[in-house]
Amino acid sequence: VKSRGVLIAGNWKMNHGLVETREFFRLLRETGPSLDAIEKLRSARLRAWAFPPMTSLQVAEAEIQNLVFPFRIGAQNVHWEKSGAFTGEISGPMLTELGLGRALTGHSERRQYFGETNETVRKRTESLLKQDFQVILCVGETKAEREAGKTFAIVEEQLRVALGIVETSVSPIAEYLDGRLIIAYEPVWAIGTGLTATPAQAEEAHAMIRDFLTKRLGPAVAAKTPVLYGGSVTPENADALLACENIDGALVGGASLKAKGFISLLEAGARALG
Ligand code: 13P
């Protein structure tokens, strides 16, 4: 039983300008997922989200109004301050004005190429949660870290700092999360490489993350916090991953770009719900 439902989230990264975004939603509207998936989307047991690049957010938000099932849009990167001299950044209130209330934080590409640290991930995550956003906080180890047996230590440190946890305390932000925090476990070596984690590897990490959340957020808040898997998820491997007890959905890059692929992922999500 998936007590937290199943969430399929597409991270489009730096893909899909206005024309391609419109085309994606046109095809999604015209083809649509199975009636079973639509029914589960309508009951919110299955959730469909996409994270387009900044310039496509407004058109994506307009396009989803034409779908016959709920679909939500979010931003890939948001600053912790509400306004100011931060060239190249956008803020929570700017997204709220567009009707958007979702964002990613801590994606490994932000960490790898744009100097994001656990501390800046904490600032973005905390600020967005305080502004009532739903946040997908991404964590995951590199290949070298896995090979050195450091997977759990790295992921725990990423979660601990991002959630403002000092020593062995409970997270100070736990009290106002209310189901709005989502964790994505994305092993860096699996992102965009085709080297998907095996269901056993993913489940092992997810079980560790769930255990951590139960201790550091408290059982009630942790029970409402989904943990998604990300890293070379495709329609072909989604069923096996989503069948794992502690995997509550997927954060998908490449395979989420085409409407056909997104639809197949939603249908896999519906099957996982039984
Ligand atoms: P891929 O699905 O393309 O491997 O990307 C995963 C990812 O980084 C999602 O955030």
Side-chain angles (χ1 to χ4, degrees):
V1 219
K2 299 260 181 222
S3 58
R4 287 166 291 276
V6 169
L7 170 57
I8 303 295
N11 173 11
W12 290 358
K13 309 189 179 183
M14 200 170 71
N15 298 292
H16 284 1
L18 291 181
V19 172
E20 288 161 310
T21 296
R22 285 200 189 100
E23 181 65 4
F24 173 92
F25 285 104
R26 186 182 68 79
L27 290 168
L28 183 62
R29 195 166 60 238
E30 286 175 5
T31 317
S34 65
L35 289 177
D36 175 46
I38 289 178
E39 187 203 311
K40 284 167 176 153
L41 285 160
R42 285 182 174 158
S43 71
R45 291 179 65 215
L46 179 61
R47 294 186 284 173
W49 297 2
F51 294 83
M54 299 302 181
T55 60
S56 297
L57 291 176
Q58 198 169 4
V59 75
E61 182 62 18
E63 287 288 340
I64 57 167
Q65 313 300 328
N66 302 318
L67 298 172
V68 298
F69 51 87
F71 194 108
R72 298 285 177 257
I73 302 299
Q76 296 170 19
N77 178 50
V78 189
H79 199 268
W80 53 88
E81 294 292 345
K82 294 184 177 166
S83 65
F86 301 103
T87 303
E89 295 280 325
I90 61 155
S91 71
M94 292 173 184
L95 294 167
T96 307
E97 246 188 310
L98 292 184
L100 304 183
R102 287 168 181 76
L104 302 180
T105 60
H107 193 279
S108 68
E109 286 149 20
R110 302 281 330 156
R111 297 178 192 257
Q112 217 176 329
Y113 307 131
F114 304 102
E116 197 83 63
T117 63
N118 284 342
E119 182 56 19
T120 58
V121 173
R122 180 191 67 75
K123 288 185 179 178
R124 295 185 200 269
T125 305
E126 206 175 291
S127 169
L128 285 163
L129 288 167
K130 283 185 175 155
Q131 293 176 70
D132 271 346
F133 274 64
Q134 307 212 40
V135 178
I136 301 183
L137 162 63
C138 307
V139 296
E141 82 288 0
T142 63
K143 184 164 181 277
E145 287 161 349
R146 174 163 283 262
E147 284 169 356
K150 291 187 189 156
T151 298
F152 293 170
I154 292 292
V155 171
E156 262 201 23
E157 177 73 358
Q158 289 171 336
L159 288 172
R160 196 182 59 73
V161 178
L163 299 176
I165 297 165
V166 183
E167 305 283 315
T168 58
S169 67
V170 168
S171 170
I173 62 173
E175 62 193 81
Y176 58 82
L177 292 180
D178 194 32
R180 292 182 297 104
L181 175 69
I182 292 146
I183 308 296
Y185 170 64
E186 299 205 309
V188 178
W189 48 271
I191 295 178
T193 57
L195 298 171
T196 321
T198 64
Q201 283 173 324
E203 174 61 17
E204 184 188 31
H206 280 238
M208 180 277 297
I209 292 169
R210 179 135 306 285
D211 187 50
F212 175 92
L213 296 175
T214 303
K215 284 191 202 125
R216 301 311 188 87
L217 297 179
V221 178
K224 286 203 221 167
T225 305
V227 183
L228 314 181
Y229 169 78
S232 297
V233 175
T234 64
E236 289 70 39
N237 60 34
D239 285 287
L241 289 162
L242 294 174
C244 296
E245 186 186 340
N246 288 297
I247 299 186
D248 303 308
L251 181 57
V252 189
S256 77
L257 288 171
K258 293 232 158 60
K260 191 165 175 279
F262 209 116
I263 288 168
S264 302
L265 293 164
L266 290 175
E267 290 171 347
R271 282 193 292 277
L273 285 164

